[in-house]
């Protein structure tokens, strides 16, 4: 493969690591070992198409690091998938898990195909064959390697994978933990589908709580009324846009594969998503102006830019023209290394991918724990919480002789159910990680950006594990 002008995705990740190593006190050779992908397998397999013909598919799965097990990372379906991309994404998973204290190594998988070109039946046969190949080679299992959804895959594909695993390993009582992002009625956890987008929203909320960071970007006030451009209205982009709009932010541009929709008054995200579901793209959507050249709108004037589609979108070709004051990398690798330097020089703050989109793996971790413990979160304690809260409310009412307003009483007495516990755990994780990054950023005079600070936090944790167990 010839390297693109801005370097390959993996080269960009490696350059980011090289820039960070000076802030770590690592023994010689350790940085290289932490950075190098452990194992990458390539599988090729034939599948019968609906018309009776046979087609051979190519997929990869990389285990970047097994310093903690299982290794964790999504499976992507896209026509551009290649080995370099899978290894880069697996490396980002290692740093992401360490950053948000999810006890996993990093992994990633990819299958080269365009899901839009296949029927549901074909996709099921393809997914089952891919899963079978990975399971047989030890690249899927609850204790060693646990995939999840990524671009082009979702609950449906995860359900096929878990079913394939159960058929091949019927003796494994923990089979549900072999993959996360499953439908709730097949061992999934409530709140997983929305988790990455919700995590993006929690990160932006936390940013606005930190007034010094807000001031550094030149932004003022809070999230309400902020103009946001989102690239990609898939799982991550849609949920991020939806929750940010619920917080009164204004989504003024949505960029999709077939063009962009612009509406300065704010785009109705639900209506646009519905339109895409029916028509396959944004073209013709009546709630805004359509432009065919979508990518051009990454440089549209706005407060916050959220790339939530593909890697390599902000490059030397457009970095100098980005007008947002804050860029939140909901996608993996949307800014190339060189473009990142340009944004830094221009004073544009970037919240890096392996933090901004860590909500997905965080809630995947909750799902995996649920699968291993074989019990839904809150099942044992919800009614107990309610019983105790009712006793306190009764005591207060008896002591004061006044009745607490019924809406407030209901809020106080509501026990924790699975969804509220998942959201609480996710919010806490994102806020804690933000503060860890910020502390490292302030403690090291030489560190200029949150990306380097976040990587210092991650690599220190990984190195600490290696200090205990060896390289
Ligand atoms: P998805 O397949 O659900 O959505 C991707 C969206 O991008 C689709 O709507 C697609 O039409 C659009 N798109 C494709 N090409 C485009 C282009 N050239 N310009 C604009 N839009 C384009 O995928 P997703 O799960 O939302 O993943 C998006 C990004 O987020 C990826 O980088 C992925 O690795 C990352 N991510 C996803 C998760 C997750 O939980 N799904 C977790 C962490 C990171």
């Amino acid at each position: 493969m010839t390297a693109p002008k801005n370097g390959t995705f993996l080269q960009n990740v490696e350059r980011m690591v090289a820039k960070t190593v000076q802030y770590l006190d690592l023994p010689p050779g350790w940085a290289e070992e932490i950075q190098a992908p452990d194992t990458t397998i390539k599988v090729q397999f034939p599948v019968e198409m609906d018309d009776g013909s046979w087609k051979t598919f190519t997929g990869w799965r990389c285990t970047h690091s097994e310093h903690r097990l299982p290794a964790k990372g999504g499976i992507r379906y896209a026509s551009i998938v290649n080995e370099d991309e899978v290894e880069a994404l697996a490396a980002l998973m290692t740093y992401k898990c360490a950053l948000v204290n999810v006890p996993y190594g990093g992994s990633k998988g990819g299958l080269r195909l365009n899901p839009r070109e296949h029927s549901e039946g074909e996709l099921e046969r393809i997914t089952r064959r891919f899963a079978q190949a990975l399971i047989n080679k030890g690249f899927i299992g609850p204790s060693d390697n646990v995939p999840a959804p990524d671009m082009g895959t979702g609950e449906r594909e995860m359900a096929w994978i878990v079913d394939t695993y159960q058929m091949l390993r019927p003796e494994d009582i923990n089979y549900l933990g072999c993959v996360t992002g499953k439908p709730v009625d097949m061992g999934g956890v409530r709140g997983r589908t929305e988790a990455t987008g919700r995590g993006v929203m929690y990160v932006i909320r936390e940013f606005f709580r930190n007034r010094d960071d807000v001031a550094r970007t030149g932004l003022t006030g809070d999230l309400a009324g902020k103009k946001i451009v989102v690239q990609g209205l898939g799982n991550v982009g849609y949920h991020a846009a939806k929750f940010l709009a619920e917080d009164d932010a204004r989504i003024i541009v949505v960029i999709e594969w077939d063009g962009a929709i612009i509406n300065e008054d704010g785009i109705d995200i639900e209506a646009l998503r519905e339109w895409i579901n029916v028509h396959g793209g944004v073209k013709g959507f009546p709630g805004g102006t359509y432009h065919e050249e979508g990518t051009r709108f990454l440089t549209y004037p706005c407060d916050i830019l959220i790339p939530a589609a593909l890697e390599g979108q902000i490059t030397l070709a457009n970095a100098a023209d980005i007008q947002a004051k804050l860029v939140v990398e909901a996608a993996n690798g949307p800014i190339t290394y060189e473009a990142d330097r340009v944004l830094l020089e221009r004073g544009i703050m970037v919240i890096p991918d392996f933090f901004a989109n860590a909500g997905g793996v965080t809630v995947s971790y909750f799902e995996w724990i649920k699968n291993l413990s074989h019990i839904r979160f809150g099942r044992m304690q919800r009614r107990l919480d309610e019983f105790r809260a009712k006793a306190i409310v009764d005591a207060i009412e008896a002591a004061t002789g006044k009745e607490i307003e019924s809406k407030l009483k209901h809020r106080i007495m509501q026990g924790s159910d699975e969804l509220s516990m998942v959201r609480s755990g996710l919010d806490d994780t994102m806020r804690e990680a933000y503060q860890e990054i910020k502390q490292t950023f302030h403690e090291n005079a030489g560190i200029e950006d949150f990306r380097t600070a976040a990587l210092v936090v991650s690599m220190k944790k990984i190195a600490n594990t290696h200090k205990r167990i060896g390289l």
Side-chain angles (χ1 to χ4, degrees):
M1 196 182 68
T2 50
K5 214 166 113 221
N6 287 283
T8 68
F9 192 178
L10 185 60
Q11 283 166 349
N12 276 282
V13 174
E14 286 172 354
R15 291 172 82 183
M16 166 181 88
V17 175
K19 180 184 161 193
T20 305
V21 169
Q22 58 181 306
Y23 304 107
L24 298 159
D25 187 20
L26 294 180
W30 277 42
E32 288 73 14
E33 170 10 72
I34 290 173
Q35 169 174 301
D38 284 357
T39 322
T40 307
I41 57 158
K42 175 180 173 184
V43 294
Q44 289 184 300
F45 53 89
V47 178
E48 189 174 6
M49 299 290 98
D50 291 345
D51 64 4
S53 66
W54 286 79
K55 207 171 166 201
T56 299
F57 293 88
T58 306
W60 293 264
R61 186 135 181 104
C62 167
T63 304
H64 175 261
S65 170
E66 293 183 292
H67 73 290
R68 296 204 166 204
L69 283 171
K72 190 85 184 78
I75 288 184
R76 166 178 291 199
Y77 286 1
S79 42
I80 51 159
V81 166
N82 58 68
E83 185 170 324
D84 179 279
E85 178 189 57
V86 168
E87 291 189 341
L89 290 165
L92 288 176
M93 282 307 299
T94 298
Y95 306 132
K96 189 182 305 185
C97 292
L99 180 67
V100 294
N101 297 317
V102 164
Y104 293 141
S107 185
K108 201 80 179 192
L111 191 57
R112 189 182 289 161
L113 65 81
N114 181 352
R116 285 198 197 93
E117 290 171 2
H118 295 279
S119 68
E120 184 162 356
E122 286 179 355
L123 283 173
E124 177 171 356
R125 293 194 291 280
I126 295 164
T127 302
R128 286 182 181 277
R129 279 300 294 264
F130 188 34
Q132 188 185 343
L134 295 179
I135 294 161
N136 286 338
K137 291 181 168 51
F139 275 74
I140 295 184
S143 55
D144 38 34
N145 198 317
V146 182
D150 194 77
M151 240 169 79
T153 60
E155 281 187 2
R156 182 182 64 176
E157 287 72 17
M158 301 306 115
W160 292 330
I161 293 174
V162 75
D163 190 55
T164 306
Y165 182 85
Q166 193 191 6
M167 283 197 265
L168 293 171
R169 303 273 187 272
E171 72 289 352
D172 189 345
I173 192 175
N174 290 321
Y175 71 95
L176 282 174
C178 77
V179 68
T180 58
K182 302 178 291 293
V184 172
D185 59 4
M186 279 193 75
V189 74
R190 286 160 187 81
R192 172 59 184 92
T193 305
E194 62 175 49
T196 310
R198 188 172 280 282
V200 169
M201 182 269 281
Y202 284 151
V203 168
I204 297 176
R205 267 195 195 162
E206 183 63 6
F207 163 79
F208 277 103
R209 278 191 204 101
N210 286 264
R211 305 311 304 172
D212 51 338
D213 293 334
V214 176
R216 269 194 303 120
T217 61
L219 287 168
T220 53
D222 56 21
L223 186 50
K226 291 290 174 295
K227 293 183 179 184
I228 300 184
V229 172
V230 177
Q231 185 191 36
L233 208 67
N235 179 323
V236 179
Y238 160 68
H239 286 106
K242 171 185 156 89
F243 299 135
L244 289 164
E246 283 171 9
D247 261 10
D248 295 328
R250 232 182 319 152
I251 314 298
I252 57 166
V253 177
V254 168
I255 305 165
E256 257 292 334
W257 66 276
D258 65 333
I261 294 291
I262 300 98
N263 184 343
E264 282 282 342
D265 295 328
I267 296 166
D268 180 341
I269 293 301
E270 290 302 333
L272 181 53
R273 172 82 164 186
E274 190 51 41
W275 182 270
I276 295 172
N277 286 344
V278 175
H279 299 90
V282 294
K283 191 174 178 180
F285 177 64
T289 314
Y290 171 75
H291 285 271
E292 205 172 10
E293 288 172 67
T295 312
R296 191 156 65 81
F297 287 85
L298 289 168
T299 58
Y300 193 79
C302 65
D303 298 306
I304 305 171
L305 171 62
I306 305 182
L310 311 165
E311 56 259 28
Q313 296 300 294
I314 301 173
T315 65
L316 283 181
N318 59 3
D321 301 321
I322 297 293
Q323 300 197 48
K325 294 188 164 58
L326 175 69
V327 183
V328 183
E329 290 186 314
N332 284 307
I335 306 175
T336 63
Y337 179 83
E338 298 290 359
D340 201 40
R341 304 289 310 162
V342 173
L343 297 185
L344 178 64
E345 280 159 20
R346 295 187 52 222
I348 298 171
M349 180 166 171
V350 175
I351 300 202
D353 46 10
F354 62 100
F355 170 44
N357 67 34
V361 77
T362 300
V363 177
S364 276
Y365 170 50
F366 301 155
E367 179 176 331
W368 182 74
I369 290 171
K370 176 184 178 179
N371 296 150
L372 298 194
S373 59
H374 299 262
I375 188 166
R376 157 172 63 80
F377 292 113
R379 183 167 173 181
M380 304 283 281
Q381 82 213 54
R382 180 172 166 191
R383 302 299 168 194
L384 187 63
D385 286 351
E386 288 180 5
F387 179 74
R388 288 208 172 118
K390 184 172 184 320
I392 294 169
V393 165
D394 288 347
I396 293 171
E397 286 184 340
T400 59
K402 288 185 189 153
E403 202 176 322
I404 295 175
E405 191 262 321
S406 74
K407 237 181 173 171
L408 177 61
K409 195 149 71 176
H410 179 72
R411 267 179 57 204
I412 297 171
M413 287 181 9
Q414 207 170 31
S416 311
D417 60 9
E418 183 167 275
L419 187 59
S420 57
M421 289 169 86
V422 162
R423 286 182 181 166
S424 158
L426 174 59
D427 194 8
D428 186 61
T429 302
M430 302 313 277
R431 286 166 73 166
E432 287 250 318
Y434 189 104
Q435 292 308 326
E436 264 190 89
I437 297 168
K438 184 170 174 161
Q439 194 181 341
T440 299
F441 176 75
H442 285 298
E443 279 172 1
N444 295 269
I447 295 182
E448 297 171 304
D449 58 352
F450 264 37
R451 190 189 306 279
T452 309
L455 198 55
V456 167
V457 173
S458 298
M459 289 187 73
K460 271 190 181 163
K461 290 179 192 173
I462 297 163
N464 274 343
T465 308
H466 282 304
K467 273 180 195 150
R468 292 183 205 290
I469 62 172
L471 267 191

